[in-house]
Amino acid sequence: MQNTIRIIGIDPGLRRTGWGIIDTLGNSLRFVASGTVTSDGDMDLASRLCQLHDGLAEIVHGYKPDEAAVEQTFVNKDAVATLKLGQARGIAMLVPARAGLQVSEYAPNAVKKAVIGVGHGEKQQIHMMLKILMPKVEFKGNDAADALAIAICHAHNRGSSRMRLAAVAG
């Protein structure tokens, strides 16, 4: 007998961190909620990271997910921007870990492949597939949609990621 697993997907960003929560039971997916945590660009970096932390902590506390998935960052040509994104990603991993959740990481191409079937695609393709996979889905903007896609990727891969963790631990 299976239990419903609640998954939070997190798309880290310093300006906007997207989050999406789904319930999965076997192969079925159900939309729960999604949104974006924002930071004030006029504030210093430490204060912005606190805003992201507090916003995500409120989401995790309110929705009580069982597992978390975070998108891996990509390195771009702007080293400063990459470093700041990495710091926001640290917050995105810290919050669920502090809540006692297993945190899995997925490359952007793996997320796209899980949702649209190929590793490269447009944002609109992700949006369309989210609506097909979860007809009652609601999201505002790309960040929340990406976070839902990350949660779906984890739902599809959680068994294999759990086996990998057990092999490492055992």
Side-chain angles (χ1 to χ4, degrees):
M1 186 162 176
Q2 294 179 327
N3 292 325
T4 299
I5 303 296
R6 179 159 287 180
I7 300 168
I8 182 169
I10 303 173
D11 181 31
L14 184 58
R15 285 189 201 121
R16 292 175 308 278
T17 290
W19 60 272
I21 299 176
I22 64 170
D23 285 343
T24 180
L25 178 61
N27 291 331
S28 70
L29 303 171
R30 186 178 69 81
F31 169 75
V32 175
S34 70
T36 306
V37 176
T38 58
S39 72
D40 183 345
D42 292 333
M43 297 179 80
D44 63 280
L45 179 60
S47 298
R48 294 177 74 186
L49 293 172
C50 282
Q51 288 177 321
L52 295 178
H53 175 278
D54 294 348
L56 279 176
E58 187 176 316
I59 301 304
V60 168
H61 178 74
Y63 286 99
K64 299 183 179 9
D66 301 303
E67 298 176 8
V70 177
E71 187 171 65
Q72 293 174 341
T73 55
F74 60 91
V75 178
N76 59 34
K77 293 178 184 174
D78 182 352
V80 173
T82 300
L83 182 59
K84 287 180 180 178
L85 177 58
Q87 291 168 324
R89 188 170 174 275
I91 297 297
M93 294 180 72
L94 174 70
V95 169
R98 294 281 300 171
L101 304 182
Q102 173 188 325
V103 180
S104 298
E105 302 173 61
Y106 296 96
N109 288 350
V111 172
K112 288 178 182 173
K113 189 169 185 174
V115 176
I116 61 175
V118 293
H120 299 283
E122 301 296 321
K123 296 283 186 190
Q124 296 302 31
Q125 289 176 290
I126 292 172
H127 295 190
M128 182 182 71
M129 283 306 296
L130 288 174
K131 292 174 184 176
I132 291 170
L133 293 169
M134 298 180 298
K136 295 181 181 181
V137 71
E138 295 176 19
F139 54 87
K140 291 183 181 174
N142 291 334
D143 302 300
D146 287 349
L148 286 166
I150 295 161
I152 290 169
C153 178
H154 181 65
H156 291 217
N157 291 288
R158 63 183 295 278
S160 61
S161 98
R162 205 168 251 186
M163 288 189 301
R164 280 193 306 270
L165 284 174
V168 170

